[in-house]
Amino acid sequence: NAGVIQTPRHKVTGKGQEATLWCEPISGHSAVFWYRQTIVQGLEFLTYFRNQAPIDDSGMPKERFSAQMPNQSHSTLKIQSTQPQDSAVYLCASSPQGYSQNTLYFGAGTRLSVL
Amino acid sequence: GDSVTQTEGPVTVSESESLIINCTYSATSIAYPNLFWYVRYPGEGLQLLLKVITAGQKGSSRGFEATYNKETTSFHLQKASVQESDSAVYYCALGTGTGGYKVVFGSGTRLLVSP
């Protein structure tokens, strides 16, 4: 089992450009989570899918962030018109059923740098 | 909302000394949250160290222990004798109970173990 795979590991964009981050959850896991990590805010919940359906996107900045899960093998986080304050490490995690007592399995993260 | 407060790092300890990293929580959405310690070793992804989902119980892993204390709303991480390989960032986290899905993380504590 390869674990949660996130690509790319590092992404550099210019201000105003679009960034798409990819996540491949562990096979058989029904839940996918996206978190953002910064030094100031720490680990922040962004959004959650269960069985590919969006359940909670309460942590997503509404205007420029969107997430999708078109099939059970991958999820994407898209940031339009990136801003310097979007610079962060974006972490994807999957879990067997999505309940909070379940262990979260994290990917290595994508470090986004907006110049 | 739910929140977690933990020892601010870095914490520096000499090898074979004892360790305690404090963690207290505030759970407003659930009476009995699930409690976790996650760890990020250098060059690796965030991974579960231990979890306890029942108040009053103790969890242990890799020589670390933490007891779920509902009276003091605490979940301190302890180890009797640390090793250099324990150098990592430790995150206390709170899960919003059975049927819930959201996991809220503390800000992390960097542990440095000197030989």
Side-chain angles (χ1 to χ4, degrees), chain A residues 98-102, chain B residues 2 29-36 53 94-103:
Chain A
Y99 300 120
S100 72
Q101 65 266 36
N102 296 150
Chain B
D2 301 321
S29 65
I30 190 78
Y32 292 92
N34 305 307
L35 299 176
F36 307 83
I53 62 174
L94 175 157
T96 56
T98 302
Y101 52 84
K102 194 171 288 187
V103 178

Side-chain angles (χ1 to χ4, degrees), chain A residues 9 33 35 37 42-43 45 48 50 55-56 58-59 89 91 98-108, chain B residues 34 36 38 40 44-48 51 53 91 94-107:
Chain A
R9 291 294 308 276
F33 299 79
Y35 283 82
Q37 184 168 31
L43 269 160
F45 168 85
Y48 163 56
R50 182 186 287 164
I55 303 299
D56 182 349
S58 61
V89 177
L91 294 173
Y99 300 120
S100 72
Q101 65 266 36
N102 296 150
T103 299
L104 292 176
Y105 295 83
F106 284 88
Chain B
N34 305 307
F36 307 83
Y38 281 82
R40 176 182 282 135
E44 298 184 19
L46 194 59
Q47 59 187 278
L48 179 72
K51 69 177 177 182
I53 62 174
Y91 295 87
L94 175 157
T96 56
T98 302
Y101 52 84
K102 194 171 288 187
V103 178
V104 176
F105 288 84
S107 57

Side-chain angles (χ1 to χ4, degrees), chain B residues 32-105:
Chain B
Y32 292 92
N34 305 307
L35 299 176
F36 307 83
W37 279 99
Y38 281 82
V39 59
R40 176 182 282 135
Y41 296 103
E44 298 184 19
L46 194 59
Q47 59 187 278
L48 179 72
L49 177 62
L50 59 86
K51 69 177 177 182
V52 180
I53 62 174
T54 303
Q57 297 297 308
K58 179 168 69 177
S60 60
S61 175
R62 305 184 195 184
F64 288 90
E65 295 181 338
T67 299
Y68 186 157
N69 189 321
K70 178 166 172 56
E71 285 69 38
T72 59
T73 62
S74 65
F75 192 54
H76 307 319
L77 184 67
Q78 302 183 72
K79 189 171 186 180
S81 176
V82 297
Q83 302 173 335
E84 197 173 351
S85 57
D86 294 326
S87 295
V89 182
Y90 294 81
Y91 295 87
C92 187
L94 175 157
T96 56
T98 302
Y101 52 84
K102 194 171 288 187
V103 178
V104 176
F105 288 84

Side-chain angles (χ1 to χ4, degrees), chain B residues 19-38:
Chain B
L19 168 73
I20 182 165
I21 298 176
N22 291 326
C23 171
T24 57
Y25 67 88
S26 173
T28 59
S29 65
I30 190 78
Y32 292 92
N34 305 307
L35 299 176
F36 307 83
W37 279 99
Y38 281 82

